Each structure stands twice: as structure tokens, then as C-alpha cells.
Amino acid sequence: MESGVLCLLRLSLRPVLLGYFLGLNDLIVSSLELTVHAGEPALLGCAFQSVEGKRVTKVDWTFSPQEHAQVEYVLYYYANLSVPVGRFQTRARLAGALSHNDGSLLLRDVQEADQGTYTCEIRLELESRVFKTEVALHVLPEEPRELTVHVGDSAPMGCAFQSTEEKLMTKVDWTFSPGKHAKEEVMLRYYTTRGRPGGHSQSGGRFQSRVALAGDTARNDGSVLLQEARVSDTGSYTCSIHLGNLTFRKTFALHVIPEEPRALVTTVARSPEVLGGNHLVIIVGIVCATVLLLPVLILTARRIHGSKSSGMSTALVKSLEDRDKAPPEKHVYSSINTWEVTKEEEPSDRSEATYMTMHPVWPSALNYPPEKKWAEGVPQTGRAF
């Protein structure tokens, strides 16, 4: 019976001891999540407490965009040498104190392609186990770095240092420059005091009493709100957040333009006012002048109308006279061919021949009576038998 128990105990201890010496028993310390905007830095924490006092010998940071995607190296540390790899070569560096078992990674200028899972593996000297930390990084679209507001409006400017570590910012500086080569002005300063909770903020210069912290300092958010913007506030604003020996900077360009003219004008109803003595005199004078000038205006209108009527009648008479003076008519002649009838051609049943002779006729003589036509010498047609 005892031999059977000892055999089972040996079989169960062998895989454990084998995994211990081969380093197969990994210890996952934590799994974290972090959300940042594109273009901002991200501090990925990887630290643990060791009571044994063993120093860190190796740190590996790897990245996987998806669950079953190919893993790529971000950075590795070995023999006191830190080496970033691949597309992270100029943007990644160790930010933790390795003497305190802190292998945190600072990733600058985060890109949308950086979204995925980051895995940190730390190995200690004379230790077979591997301490792991996984951080799921979510990347949001980049926030605008250029703002345009009207005079009198408020201008919010965000500035936050996203980190999975519980490190509190120790200082925040906001500076302003109206041009590239102009001298910088301090807009706001925030700093903490050791042994005292919270911090103290101070604004100065032209921004005094117009700017205030709007972010949560407990979450490393140093955002500000600039109120009552002026045209002279146009320029460049730089935010600097300090977390121990780490510093994060962000720059904004602010444009303040004059207020646009309003298209709609609202009328304000005025309260009725009591007329004084001078107002009454003016109104009475206007009424009297109108009554006196009214007959004069009526007579003038009548005269103008009469002159226009006489002019129209004169023009009508003149046009009728011109119509009566018509130019003399031309003579109208009409000829009728006559035929001579010879005795041979004359039919036997007719005993006489008829002929007519046409004379010029005056058209004006056609309206005369028959008795006046002869008196004036107008001949009549006759017949010859």
C-alpha cells in the first residue's frame, strides 16, 4: 500500500519539477486594457513585487493584432541592453525602473495599426518562472490639433497622458506663442506638493481669470478651457505633462476670428412713452401745415389737368385740318374700244349703232347735283342715234 502511494507521488512530482526547471510554468500577473487617441503616447505597465530581491535579467515585449495572428517583437532587453525592433524601432522604449522590477513600455505617436494585444515577459535571475502581463490597446481616431473659434467663444484643449500604471502627474505646463519666433508666454501651471493631496494651478498674463483646468488630474488629464477668446489669442499652445522622469508634450493651433454678422435682426418692443409738451407742439404744427397746403395742392392739380386737356384738343383739331388738306387727285382715264360696224357686217335685225366717248371726270365733282354739273361745265355722256 505504501509503495503504491509513493509511486503515484513520484509520478505527480516529476512533471512539476520538469516544468519548473524547464521554465514551463508561467505566471500571468495581470491583464489590462488601455484606450488612447492616435498620435498620443501610451504607457504600458509591466511591474511586479518580488520579495526575494532578485534582479531582472530579460524583458520581452511582443505584439499581436489579433488573437491567432502572427506575433511580432516590439522590444527586448538583455544584458543591460534595450533594443526596439521593426516598425516600433523609433517609437518604443523601456520607461520603468528595472531595479524595481518595472519593465513598463512607453509607446510614442500611437497609430491605428498599433491596436492589438501587447505581452510583456520578465525573467529574473536564478528564476525559472516567467512573469507575464497582457495589455489590450484600443486606438481611437486622432483628435484635431487645430481649432477655430469666434471671438467670445470658449476653446477646449485636451491633454492627457494615458497609462495603465498608477503614476500621478507631478506637473503640467501650458505655454502660448503668437508666432514661430515669438517669445513664449506661460498660460497655466499646475504642480503637486509632496505630502499634500491634490495640487495647485496658477494662470498669469493675458490669460488670468480666463483659463482653468478642465481635466481630472487624478487620471493624468491636464486639459484646459480657455474662455472669452480674443483675436490676440490666435497662436500655438503647448501642453507638457510630467510623470516622474517622463514628459509628454502636445501642441495645438488656435485661430480666433471675428464674430460673423447675424442675418436675422430681432426687434425689441419698446414700452409706450408719454408724450411731452414739445412732442405735442410738433404734431399740431404738422397737422395745421397739411390742412393749409391741401387746397393749394388741389388747385395746382386741376390747372395741370386743364392745360393737358386743352393741349390734347388743339392737337386733335390740327390733325383734322391736316387730313382735309389732302393732295390733289390725279386724273383717272378709262378708255373703251369702239368697233365700226359696216353695212356688210351689220346684222340684219339691228337698225342702229351705239357708241360712247369717255371724258375725264374730277372726283370732287361727283358729289355735286346734276344741275350744278352743267353749270360748271361738266359734260354728260350722250347718245347718237
Side-chain angles (χ1 to χ4, degrees), residues 160-220:
F161 198 157
Q162 304 298 337
S163 170
T164 58
E165 294 294 287
E166 296 181 355
K167 294 183 178 181
L168 298 179
M169 62 183 185
T170 56
K171 186 180 179 182
V172 178
D173 292 328
W174 277 93
T175 57
F176 164 73
S177 176
K180 291 183 179 180
H181 304 288
K183 184 179 179 181
E184 289 188 350
E185 304 176 25
V186 176
M187 182 175 69
L188 182 140
R189 280 182 176 176
Y190 171 86
Y191 55 91
T192 59
T193 305
R194 291 183 179 180
R196 295 183 181 180
H200 179 71
S201 61
Q202 180 181 2
S203 60
R206 72 174 77 183
F207 304 100
Q208 192 171 7
S209 72
R210 292 196 300 126
V211 64
L213 278 174
D216 187 0
T217 57
R219 296 184 177 182
N220 302 330

Side-chain angles (χ1 to χ4, degrees), residues 256-313:
V256 183
I257 58 178
E259 187 176 2
E260 296 179 356
R262 297 180 180 179
L264 298 178
V265 179
T266 57
T267 58
V268 180
R270 296 183 178 180
S271 58
E273 299 179 356
V274 179
L275 297 178
N278 295 332
H279 296 84
L280 292 176
V281 172
I282 294 173
I283 294 174
V284 172
I286 293 174
V287 173
C288 293
T290 305
V291 172
L292 293 175
L293 292 176
L294 185 60
V296 178
L297 295 175
I298 293 175
L299 292 175
T300 304
R302 287 183 177 180
R303 287 182 181 181
I304 295 173
H305 182 70
S307 61
K308 288 184 179 180
S309 301
S310 60
M312 292 179 62
S313 60

